[in-house]
Amino acid sequence: MLRDAYKDLKERGFIYQETDAEALQKLLNSEPVTFYIGFDPTADSLHIGHLLPIMAMRRLQEAGHKPIALVGGATALVGDPSGKSEARPIMSKEIVAGNAAALKSQLSRFIDIDNSIFVNNADWFHDLLYIDFLRDIGSRFSVNKMLTAESVKMRLETGLSFLEFNYMILQAYDFSVLNREYGCKVQFGGQDQWGNIISGVDLTRRMNQAEVFGMTFPLLLNSQGQKFGKTAGGAVWLDPTRTPVFDYYQFWRNCDDADVGKLLCFFTSLPIEEIKALSALEAPAINRAKEILAYEATVLAHGKAEAEKAYLAACSKFGFSDPDNKIPTSSSVKDIKPAAGGVDDLPTFEVPAEELEGDGIWVVKLLAMSGLCNSNGEARRLIQGGGAYLNDERIGAVETNVTAADFNDGSLILKAGKKKVKRIIM
RNA sequence: GGUGGGAUUCCCGAGCGGCCAAAGGGGGCAGACUGUAAAUCUGCUGCGAUAGCUUCGAUGGUUCGAAUCCAUCUCCCACCA
């Protein structure tokens, strides 16, 4: 039983480019199709930038198709020049292998691993001899043509090493191998992958005499036209040790008004009609749409329990946008009781007792120690700028000291700006 | 291999031998305004309580004094072969 996966992707805005729309739609509606998406293990965690392909994978799987998740253990050693203005530092084989394992476990949160295939292209590139490779595969590529690829053209200005130049060929070969071994018929990828994908489609046709397809997803930009998923601290990661769940939730919660609808389509499974209604909400009610987005996205990445915690922590801090559940939604967020009362999931920091003796501890030092500020200097500037709060009262002077008297029942609340808070305990 | 150009604080980029912790922009942070949004305006943006300390690809040198001059090295880029 197949759902119309093509229509689903189309409606939700996933489709940017495709090789043969009509034939692809027909294929997806006539049989369970094996498809693949590749991820290069360039870090030990995926980040939000990877999420769009992952969500597409999930939707396709739910519609009855079979995903292959390819981890590029070999290609990461080469480095994809697509969409990058300069070469990345070359990574050691050990690091790449470690990253590959980490990615696999993260991917398994989003897709049903029992019904998917995990492969690592290091497996087939490992034994390939250079001369054989040149003869069998290299002979089928035209340098003239490769030079016209957007990803290559862009780098002709700044420089492109021969190593990176090969990337396209390697990725193309991946497709042909997956087609031969697993009957893989479609490759999906980000917008910048178009060149690599079509060269794979071409190569597979020539090597295997098989008709295969490619499709790319749009590049996500926020409404300012900046790359999506980057914040002050860099990328937003799926690994909770890199990006705490609360911050992950907040990333979505703080999205731009204009983007909520789009993001709900991509990153939640809510029905499209509901999304339309939510994103059409006016003024303050739009915040409910953001809460739903943040909650749903966090459920996917970190599980329901964690998402609830993040939701309650955020709402108890900033307020519930729809405490009475007036806005209809199918999201399970509506079942969370705001009345849970006393929910306080603030990160804590324990001050060593000796610091509080005598005159107490200098606030600047405490701010820096607790991790709210990166240095004493930053803490001082924060106070001078009026952005530091002790038990919700603005700290007026840099010279302030914190003593045991500032603690209520052994704890006090220290804020750096409106969004960074820590509970300090003694 | 030859010749020329370059490497500056998170990024881009300006820097006269002293007035440079280093112009300007971007980004970031904070404040005001708000809806935990956007836009706008304001302040801050190497470390340090101060004295001071460490930074301008690396290492040495010249000088009272070097991001600025010299030597060597490393890496990039361009043109030629």
Side-chain angles (χ1 to χ4, degrees):
Chain A
M1 41 180 265
L2 293 171
R3 283 211 314 260
D4 192 338
Y6 185 90
K7 183 168 160 249
D8 180 56
L9 291 179
K10 183 105 193 161
E11 277 178 347
R12 286 178 171 262
F14 278 90
I15 302 178
Y16 181 70
Q17 285 168 301
E18 56 211 315
T19 51
D20 183 343
E22 224 170 278
L24 180 56
Q25 180 166 28
K26 215 170 125 193
L27 176 70
L28 287 170
N29 284 327
S30 60
E31 55 174 300
V33 174
T34 302
F35 65 96
Y36 105 86
I37 299 182
F39 301 92
D40 272 359
T42 49
D44 63 8
S45 169
L46 294 165
H47 53 77
I48 285 193
H50 294 108
L51 219 49
L52 191 62
I54 294 173
M55 291 305 294
M57 206 171 206
R58 184 184 162 89
R59 301 201 74 80
L60 283 158
Q61 183 174 49
E62 280 172 356
H65 302 290
K66 192 176 185 79
I68 300 178
L70 180 147
V71 174
T75 37
L77 295 171
V78 172
D80 186 359
S82 305
K84 298 190 184 64
S85 53
E86 49 191 59
R88 295 217 178 185
I90 291 189
M91 308 179 67
S92 81
K93 294 187 178 181
E94 293 71 34
I95 292 179
V96 168
N99 290 349
L103 295 205
K104 183 175 171 178
S105 81
Q106 284 189 337
L107 281 172
S108 60
R109 297 201 67 112
F110 290 88
I111 54 175
D112 168 13
I113 42 171
D114 296 331
N115 272 309
S116 351
I117 302 168
F118 276 88
V119 294
N120 186 329
N121 62 13
D123 294 343
W124 54 84
F125 281 120
H126 189 71
D127 300 321
L128 212 53
L129 294 172
Y130 190 53
I131 299 294
D132 293 340
F133 173 75
L134 288 178
R135 285 174 63 99
D136 295 345
I137 306 153
S139 61
R140 298 173 196 261
F141 280 84
S142 146
V143 170
N144 313 256
K145 199 169 170 188
M146 287 171 74
L147 289 175
T148 64
E150 192 52 43
S151 58
V152 172
K153 263 200 300 200
M154 202 174 96
R155 289 289 296 279
L156 251 24
E157 309 272 324
T158 53
L160 177 70
S161 68
F162 182 67
L163 175 76
E164 293 176 284
F165 186 57
N166 280 272
Y167 190 92
M168 183 190 282
I169 301 181
L170 299 182
Q171 186 165 331
Y173 185 63
D174 282 343
F175 199 176
S176 74
V177 169
L178 293 177
N179 173 259
R180 191 178 67 220
E181 301 295 324
Y182 301 100
C184 176
K185 288 188 179 159
V186 194
Q187 178 182 181
F188 297 88
Q191 186 181 322
D192 56 356
Q193 294 297 308
W194 183 243
N196 294 338
I197 291 175
I198 52 176
S199 63
V201 170
D202 275 354
L203 182 68
T204 306
R205 185 174 51 235
R206 273 180 275 162
M207 285 184 80
N208 304 357
Q209 284 79 47
E211 191 185 21
V212 293
F213 304 91
M215 179 191 283
T216 58
F217 309 123
L219 179 66
L220 278 192
L221 300 171
N222 62 25
S223 49
Q224 271 119 90
Q226 294 156 334
K227 219 173 191 172
F228 179 78
K230 298 275 180 190
T231 61
V236 176
W237 301 91
L238 298 190
D239 179 344
T241 62
R242 281 188 181 237
T243 301
V245 177
F246 182 75
D247 294 350
Y248 186 84
Y249 175 93
Q250 284 291 297
F251 167 77
W252 297 102
R253 175 58 248 264
N254 284 323
C255 79
D256 207 282
D257 282 10
D259 293 334
V260 206
K262 198 169 75 183
L263 298 178
L264 283 165
C265 279
F266 287 140
F267 301 109
T268 71
S269 299
L270 300 184
I272 192 125
E273 294 71 28
E274 181 180 338
I275 293 175
K276 280 182 186 152
L278 286 173
S279 54
L281 290 169
E282 287 293 323
I286 187 83
N287 283 324
R288 183 57 170 173
K290 295 188 190 181
E291 276 177 15
I292 293 169
L293 167 67
Y295 170 76
E296 288 290 318
T298 308
V299 168
L300 278 174
H302 300 293
K304 212 168 164 177
E306 288 292 313
E308 269 184 38
K309 259 166 62 186
Y311 168 78
L312 287 172
C315 288
S316 56
K317 198 155 124 192
F318 299 111
F320 290 83
S321 65
D322 182 25
D324 306 320
N325 270 319
K326 287 187 184 133
I327 297 163
T329 174
S330 61
S331 166
S332 60
V333 74
K334 65 176 181 294
D335 303 326
I336 304 172
K337 296 284 168 286
V343 178
D344 191 346
D345 195 32
L346 301 179
T348 61
F349 174 78
E350 190 174 343
V351 220
E354 64 270 21
E355 297 281 356
L356 291 169
E357 289 167 12
D359 292 339
I361 181 171
W362 185 31
V363 243
V364 169
K365 193 173 169 193
L366 184 60
L367 245 10
M369 263 172 94
S370 63
L372 286 167
C373 295
N374 290 320
S375 68
N376 288 5
E378 191 178 311
R380 185 176 325 109
R381 274 179 249 124
L382 186 76
I383 294 172
Q384 282 163 352
Y389 302 81
L390 176 65
N391 286 330
D392 283 322
E393 272 186 49
R394 180 172 287 172
I395 300 171
V398 174
E399 296 77 22
T400 309
N401 272 25
V402 174
T403 61
D406 294 309
F407 287 79
N408 299 320
D409 296 332
S411 81
L412 65 79
I413 306 291
L414 199 58
K415 280 197 193 181
K418 281 176 182 153
K419 295 182 191 173
K420 272 188 289 181
V421 191
K422 283 222 170 157
R423 171 181 297 284
I424 310 296
I425 51 179
M426 44 197 298

